[in-house]
Amino acid sequence: MPARFFTSSAPIGVCGWVTFLPLAVVICCVGCDMRTRDRVMDFKPDPIEPAKAILRAYAAGQPVGSESETFDSLVARVSEATPEKGKLLQEFFGKVQRTGKVVRGDAKKLLEKLE
């Protein structure tokens, strides 16, 4: 009678366990591979993007606000990456700081130059 477990007349559950148990063990062992490693990707943000965001807001009609306090550090970061663009931003932001107002057309033109 013990040979009945491995014949076709055996219940499906027992044959299934006997057939798929080794497969399940292999899947568990492969799925628990400990050789994975964490990788740290080097991320360097674009220094011009914050300036572009401010210019987009000014071109859309936003008035000058507290962001004007960050103009100097923003110009310094852009100048390190691209001196020409830093000079353009310095001129524009200097004018904005002196007058306290933004000319939407000037903001649009400068934004096009930075794109």
Side-chain angles (χ1 to χ4, degrees), residues 19-74:
T19 303
F20 293 109
L21 184 63
L23 181 63
V25 169
V26 168
I27 290 173
C28 287
C29 291
V30 170
C32 297
D33 185 15
M34 299 303 290
R35 289 181 286 168
T36 59
R37 294 187 181 114
D38 291 336
R39 286 187 275 165
V40 176
M41 298 180 69
D42 205 19
F43 175 73
K44 294 181 182 178
D46 185 13
I48 299 173
E49 195 56 40
K52 287 181 184 178
I54 291 173
L55 290 172
R56 281 187 206 105
Y58 287 161
Q62 176 182 326
V64 179
S66 62
E67 72 278 355
S68 64
E69 296 175 9
T70 64
F71 286 167
D72 294 332
S73 65
L74 187 60

Side-chain angles (χ1 to χ4, degrees), residues 47-65 67-68 70-71 74-75 78 84-97 101-115:
I48 299 173
E49 195 56 40
K52 287 181 184 178
I54 291 173
L55 290 172
R56 281 187 206 105
Y58 287 161
Q62 176 182 326
V64 179
E67 72 278 355
S68 64
T70 64
F71 286 167
L74 187 60
V75 168
V78 172
E84 308 87 43
K85 292 180 180 180
K87 186 176 180 181
L88 292 173
L89 281 173
Q90 178 65 42
E91 292 171 5
F92 178 80
F93 287 152
K95 182 179 175 184
V96 169
Q97 286 178 330
K101 295 181 183 179
V102 176
V103 179
R104 290 175 65 182
D106 292 346
K108 287 179 184 179
K109 288 178 187 176
L110 182 56
L111 185 59
E112 289 174 2
K113 289 180 182 178
L114 294 180
E115 298 285 344

